[in-house]
Amino acid sequence: MLHLVFNSSYKTATTLELIDFVIPNDAIIFIEDGVYNILNDSLLDKLQATTKSIYYLENDVVARGLMPKIKERALINYLDLVRLTENNSQIISW
């Protein structure tokens, strides 16, 4: 399953519910304001304990000035986003 996260956990508690639904083969893409979740180490640690497929849309990270926070995190572009959606038959938006 592919999880598209549009919101920051600082904005809505719904994003925190994601932790309960992610399983090991799932992929997560943080897009739009969802890229702000890169600042929430607690959330990311819990998600990384379940899946290693966690991505950030590069254009949104750059637009929000978060590049210095990326470190070794996986950045993807729009083409990668399309490929991930094609490779996942189930997609849920948060």
Side-chain angles (χ1 to χ4, degrees):
M1 179 177 290
L2 177 62
H3 300 269
L4 300 176
V5 182
F6 291 87
N7 293 301
S8 165
S9 59
Y10 301 110
K11 181 179 178 183
T12 176
T14 306
T15 305
L16 298 175
E17 293 175 12
L18 171 65
I19 296 166
D20 297 328
F21 290 92
V22 174
I23 59 173
N25 291 327
D26 288 356
I28 302 167
I29 304 175
F30 292 102
I31 58 178
E32 296 181 4
D33 283 346
V35 298
Y36 284 115
N37 288 300
I38 200 165
L39 304 173
N40 188 338
D41 291 331
S42 175
L43 171 67
L44 296 178
D45 289 345
K46 290 174 184 172
L47 292 174
Q48 288 174 334
T50 305
T51 183
K52 301 299 178 202
S53 301
I54 299 174
Y55 308 99
Y56 299 85
L57 191 61
E58 185 174 16
N59 285 13
D60 292 336
V61 170
V62 170
R64 286 157 179 83
L66 295 173
M67 282 303 285
K69 302 291 183 185
I70 286 295
K71 300 176 187 168
E72 298 176 16
R73 311 233 193 258
L75 290 174
I76 62 170
N77 59 33
Y78 285 108
L79 182 57
D80 297 325
L81 173 65
V82 170
R83 287 184 183 140
L84 284 164
T85 57
E86 289 177 335
N87 292 333
N88 288 274
S89 59
Q90 295 180 316
I91 301 172
I92 186 170
S93 297
W94 298 88

